[in-house]
Amino acid sequence: MALDTTRDMALSRKAMKAELLDAETELRLAYAWRDDRCEKSLHRLITAYMRLAISMASKFKRYGAPMNDLIQEAGLGLMKAADKFDPDRGVRFSTYAVWWIKASIQDYVMRNWSMVRTGSTSSQKSLFFNMRRVQARLERESAAAGEVLDRHQLRQMISTEIGVPLHDVEMMEGRLSGSDYSLNATQSTEDEGREWIDALEDDSAQAAETVEHEHDTEQLRAWLLQAMNDLNERERFIVRERKLRDAPRTLESLGQELSLSKERVRQLEAAAFGKMRKSLENQSREVLNFLT
């Protein structure tokens, strides 16, 4: 932590010593980078406005991110601004760079604020960085007017004030209301306390369900084997080749092997399935009679 603080201070001092660019010099450097890809001009432009990036990064320290990381993200935003800046528009580079620096820092803060993805849409960004401030102001104003706002009224006012849907306000309120907790944390202060992960429902099949499934599968297999045994050899061959192979054979290929027409093979197949269906119905009926 001490090393990070020292590094931040050194970088800030270096940025403060950088030259201040007048509008003419700034424009010349921007043209040199855009038209000739002059890296020296880009470096000079970035170095001159690094103090702006550091100043904006310092405003986001309250979100708990390391200052060094915030400065790095601000620097990335500054470089993106330099790469996309069009000097022909007649706007100062510092004015243009502010948006890119802020956007880069905000994206970083939202990505790292929680293990749960907070979101990156414009409405979610507006809520994340403004909701608490707007909420505090609305509560102060209502208290000064002698009014008491319930949670629903307050959410509706925040939605109107920031210009976002009400359901986005409700969602962001829930995400900002608590911190991340490890599932391996204990539920009590006792050494042998149960971990939170132990309270999650197990979605895997229970022992009774597994046994029941295996029993039903084995019973079905036995019924199918019995139904197959009720067929003659040719019918078993047709059923096996048509339904039990990974690549089922065609009626035409079976007809050529058995010296039968394709239509005759289809008739034998249908007759075999009819016998199997009747066998399975008789077996299931016997089981039902036994159980009742």
Side-chain angles (χ1 to χ4, degrees), residues 4 18 79 157 191 201 241 292:
D4 289 341
M79 287 188 284
M157 294 178 69
D191 293 338
E201 182 180 357
E241 294 299 304
T292 55

Side-chain angles (χ1 to χ4, degrees), residues 179-198:
S179 304
D180 297 327
Y181 293 96
S182 172
L183 288 174
N184 295 117
T186 56
Q187 297 182 16
S188 64
T189 56
E190 301 176 4
D191 293 338
E192 300 299 326
R194 187 173 67 163
E195 295 182 354
W196 284 106
I197 195 171
D198 296 329

Side-chain angles (χ1 to χ4, degrees), residues 9-242:
M9 294 177 62
L11 185 59
S12 298
R13 285 196 296 268
K14 183 179 179 180
M16 293 302 295
K17 294 179 181 179
E19 65 176 323
L20 294 173
L21 300 179
D22 55 44
E24 183 179 349
T25 303
E26 176 188 294
L27 193 62
R28 178 168 52 81
L29 294 174
Y31 276 121
W33 167 244
R34 189 196 67 176
D35 298 338
D36 304 324
R37 310 311 285 177
C38 176
E39 294 187 0
K40 289 184 178 180
S41 298
L42 174 64
H43 177 72
R44 188 176 171 188
L45 192 64
I46 294 297
T47 302
Y49 286 104
M50 196 61 198
R51 62 163 61 85
L52 173 64
I54 294 175
S55 174
M56 294 186 65
S58 65
K59 298 177 181 179
F60 290 84
K61 290 194 297 184
R62 65 181 182 276
Y63 293 101
M67 185 61 187
N68 188 51
D69 291 347
L70 292 174
I71 292 175
Q72 289 182 8
E73 292 297 325
L76 290 174
L78 183 61
M79 287 188 284
K80 289 180 182 177
D83 189 53
K84 296 179 178 295
F85 180 61
D86 183 2
D88 290 331
R89 291 180 176 269
V91 178
R92 288 294 300 264
F93 175 71
S94 56
T95 304
Y96 180 79
V98 165
W99 187 91
W100 285 97
I101 296 171
K102 184 177 181 181
S104 183
I105 298 173
Q106 287 181 339
D107 286 342
Y108 170 79
V109 171
M110 293 188 72
R111 287 197 311 269
N112 294 274
W113 180 78
S114 171
M115 290 184 293
V116 178
R117 182 70 173 172
T118 306
S120 57
T121 65
S122 58
S123 64
Q124 290 167 335
K125 277 187 177 181
S126 297
L127 283 169
F128 183 86
F129 292 103
N130 298 299
M131 191 173 79
R132 287 176 173 170
R133 175 180 56 80
V134 171
Q135 178 177 330
R137 178 174 59 79
L138 292 173
E139 289 175 340
R140 287 197 307 270
E141 292 175 354
S142 63
E147 300 175 353
V148 178
L149 299 175
D150 59 31
R151 300 306 302 174
H152 182 68
Q153 289 175 321
L154 186 58
R155 292 183 190 125
Q156 285 185 320
M157 294 178 69
I158 293 173
S159 173
T160 303
E161 182 79 15
I162 301 180
V164 298
L166 179 60
H167 65 83
D168 282 357
V169 177
E170 295 170 345
M171 185 182 299
M172 187 59 67
E173 185 180 50
R175 290 176 176 177
L176 295 177
S177 62
S179 304
D180 297 327
Y181 293 96
S182 172
L183 288 174
N184 295 117
T186 56
Q187 297 182 16
S188 64
T189 56
E190 301 176 4
D191 293 338
E192 300 299 326
R194 187 173 67 163
E195 295 182 354
W196 284 106
I197 195 171
D198 296 329
L200 295 180
E201 182 180 357
D202 187 1
D203 293 331
S204 61
Q206 301 300 310
E209 296 175 355
T210 302
V211 172
E212 182 178 355
H213 176 72
E214 292 177 350
H215 175 269
D216 292 345
T217 302
E218 189 63 32
Q219 182 64 67
L220 180 59
R221 184 182 294 110
W223 287 354
L224 288 173
L225 287 175
Q226 180 60 48
M228 287 286 288
N229 290 333
D230 291 341
L231 304 178
N232 59 45
E233 185 176 351
R234 187 168 61 175
E235 291 171 337
R236 282 198 298 270
F237 174 75
I238 293 175
V239 171
R240 186 166 56 248
E241 294 299 304
R242 289 281 292 159

